[in-house]
Amino acid sequence: EIKRQCPETTVLLVGILPRSGKHPVAAVNKDLKAASQKHKVHFLDVSEALLQGKKSVDRAIFRDGLHLSPAGYKLYGEQLRPVLRRLLEEHKQKYPALSKVKSPFAIYVANDASSMEKNAAKELQYFFSCATGKTPEIVSTPVSGTPNFVLGRSKFVRSRLKDVDFEKMSPREILLKRSGKDLILTGGKSQGTLFAVYEFVEKYLGVRFYSSTEIEIPNIKNFRFPEVDYRYDPQIRFRTAMYHDLIYTNKLFGVRLRNNGDSYADMKEWGCHPGYIVWCHSFDRIIPAKKYFSSHPEYFSDNGKGVRSGGQLKGQLCLTNPEVKKVFLGNLMPIIREKYFPGARVSVSQNDNTNNCHCPKCSASDAKYGASGTILNFVNSIAAEVEKEFPDVIVETFAYQYSTTP
């Protein structure tokens, strides 16, 4: 109800605290976490910190087995404080206090623009206001006689760029072009306009994104549109840096650094990729050892001495066994059919261990192609079959642990 009436409100839901006796606290908190993700609210479980590694509550922390003691409240506050600071910073960046002085510039974005394009307009408005001390109005009709930032892929933009084939632009390609008194910031459908805005604020406003809490914004007194005609197509389609500040502390900071991969699946309104159908380390997800090992040990990795092992942390698949490919496809294709969405990604990748197969056939393949080549031959054969039914599904794999050598 809060989100319905006040969609910009940040909500933090704190899990149920531990207590003495037998209560399903962990199970309820697990359900609360899942519900929080569904309703896009933040969830914090402080149980681990309050239990301090113990299985039952400590009366020094819970004075009566239920209510916190002063020491307990201190621990509780230590867990809340950094989360609240992060959420306040995120909220400040999303909904900043802008200068009340009106800028002589305007930002045009069409009424029917995508959420990504509208967010791009807000980001431009924020950084331009901070840099110049004057806030440009966001308008849905270009302002006559006023220099306009023209954003997006609308009919108006296309009428100004008749030599550009927008349908052939790659999803995150950017275009910055001076057109008369206006400056056009546009690009590919997924994130082109947003990335064009970030290119502009970094290159022409001098903004620097150092961390989620440290952004440098210079003061500009007399801003003029640059004479620019710049088009660029990023060579990296998906970017996710596994760094806490980018994927946990503040995902908007990650987007500003052009991150858009699987860790940003919940940032769809910013044009980020919706993510995977099947996530990483998928060998055991598709052919789980718990289901198949007892009846088909030959599907799993041999240590070279006739001993086979399977499971996410213990073994791999025997990739030269033709039956493994059949079973893999037989299990994978129904998952894709059930969960398909345009541009979906499927990870066909090794389990999280170094115990690859050393049976005679796999050893011969490794000797000829390398361990990475053995994996790629298997992955490519799976991808070829997936492509027949789902040509737009992206099949990917890892260069990881034993497969890092080309």
Side-chain angles (χ1 to χ4, degrees):
E1 184 64 21
I2 292 173
K3 282 292 186 180
R4 186 184 69 80
Q5 294 191 28
C6 306
E8 295 181 354
T9 300
T10 299
V11 178
L12 173 63
L13 175 63
V14 180
I16 297 174
L17 302 187
R19 58 205 60 205
S20 61
K22 294 183 178 180
H23 302 282
V25 172
V28 172
N29 282 341
K30 183 178 179 181
D31 290 341
L32 288 175
K33 182 178 180 180
S36 298
Q37 293 172 342
K38 179 180 179 181
H39 294 285
K40 295 185 178 181
V41 303
H42 302 272
F43 179 75
L44 175 64
D45 187 351
V46 298
S47 299
E48 186 175 341
L50 295 177
L51 288 172
Q52 297 183 307
K54 300 176 182 178
K55 293 184 179 180
S56 58
V57 299
D58 187 336
R59 291 303 176 101
I61 304 300
F62 295 85
R63 56 183 171 81
D64 56 2
L66 175 63
H67 299 95
L68 293 172
S69 67
Y73 277 113
K74 184 175 184 296
L75 281 174
Y76 187 46
E78 288 172 353
Q79 299 303 306
L80 279 176
R81 190 177 299 112
V83 176
L84 291 175
R85 283 177 176 169
R86 172 174 61 82
L87 294 179
L88 286 170
E89 181 62 31
E90 286 183 7
H91 191 85
K92 178 182 175 182
Q93 291 188 21
K94 285 185 178 179
Y95 312 107
L98 301 175
S99 168
K100 294 182 180 180
V101 180
K102 187 176 180 180
S103 171
F105 296 84
I107 299 173
Y108 161 75
V109 62
N111 269 329
D112 60 352
S114 68
S115 59
M116 175 274 294
E117 291 169 334
K118 291 179 179 178
N119 279 327
K122 291 179 182 178
E123 287 282 87
L124 176 59
Q125 182 187 52
Y126 170 60
F127 289 113
F128 193 84
S129 176
C130 291
T132 66
K134 299 177 181 179
T135 301
E137 183 182 4
I138 296 177
V139 298
S140 57
T141 302
V143 181
S144 177
T146 295
N148 295 275
F149 288 97
V150 178
L151 273 58
R153 294 161 53 90
S154 65
K155 291 180 180 180
F156 177 75
V157 173
R158 294 173 189 237
S159 71
R160 299 285 291 273
L161 298 172
K162 294 181 178 179
D163 58 333
V164 175
D165 189 340
F166 280 83
E167 304 313 314
K168 290 185 178 180
M169 296 186 86
S170 65
R172 294 160 188 88
E173 187 173 351
I174 66 173
L175 175 60
L176 292 76
K177 186 177 179 63
R178 181 71 181 270
S179 177
K181 69 179 186 331
D182 298 331
L183 178 63
I184 299 175
L185 303 177
T186 184
K189 187 175 182 179
S190 294
Q191 288 181 300
T193 299
L194 182 65
F195 284 7
V197 165
Y198 291 143
E199 179 74 17
F200 169 79
V201 301
E202 288 185 332
K203 190 169 184 178
Y204 297 103
L205 296 183
V207 174
R208 296 293 179 264
F209 302 114
Y210 294 127
S211 76
S212 62
T213 58
E214 298 297 330
I215 299 175
E216 180 184 350
I217 305 177
N219 293 320
I220 300 175
K221 292 184 178 180
N222 297 305
F223 176 81
R224 295 181 179 179
F225 277 153
E227 294 294 336
V228 58
D229 186 356
Y230 177 68
R231 185 170 178 173
Y232 174 68
D233 184 7
Q235 297 304 298
I236 299 177
R237 296 183 67 180
F238 307 111
R239 183 193 302 270
T240 298
M242 300 299 289
Y243 178 55
H244 197 282
D245 211 26
L246 294 176
I247 63 176
Y248 297 114
T249 304
N250 188 337
K251 290 190 177 183
L252 178 55
F253 169 59
V255 172
R256 287 169 174 169
L257 294 186
R258 304 357 175 238
N259 281 257
N260 59 356
D262 52 284
S263 296
Y264 298 86
D266 58 345
M267 300 286 282
K268 295 176 184 177
E269 69 272 21
W270 295 84
C272 296
H273 195 272
Y276 288 95
I277 288 178
V278 178
W279 199 41
C280 66
H281 299 309
S282 62
F283 282 0
D284 194 58
R285 301 178 196 276
I286 304 302
I287 303 183
K290 287 184 178 180
K291 179 179 180 180
Y292 289 95
F293 189 84
S294 60
S295 57
H296 292 283
E298 71 276 10
Y299 291 174
F300 301 92
S301 56
D302 187 320
N303 68 354
K305 298 179 182 180
V307 178
R308 294 189 179 263
S309 57
Q312 185 59 253
L313 301 178
K314 294 183 178 180
Q316 304 288 347
L317 297 178
C318 179
L319 300 180
T320 58
N321 183 338
E323 288 300 313
V324 169
K325 176 184 173 181
K326 292 180 182 178
V327 175
F328 200 98
L329 282 169
N331 292 344
L332 175 63
M333 294 306 293
I335 296 174
I336 298 177
R337 293 183 189 114
E338 177 186 354
K339 299 183 178 181
Y340 169 81
F341 53 85
R345 296 160 69 189
V346 171
S347 179
V348 179
S349 51
Q350 67 210 69
N351 293 330
D352 199 2
N353 64 77
T354 59
N355 301 320
N356 57 309
C357 188
H358 294 284
C359 75
K361 286 186 177 181
C362 284
S363 294
S365 176
D366 289 354
K368 185 175 182 179
Y369 303 110
S372 61
T374 300
I375 291 177
L376 287 175
N377 284 336
F378 178 79
V379 172
N380 285 338
S381 69
I382 297 297
E385 296 301 317
V386 171
E387 184 182 28
K388 292 176 183 178
E389 188 172 344
F390 300 98
D392 66 328
V393 167
I394 299 165
V395 177
E396 64 180 41
T397 193
F398 285 164
Y400 182 70
Q401 293 184 338
Y402 65 86
S403 66
T404 55
T405 302

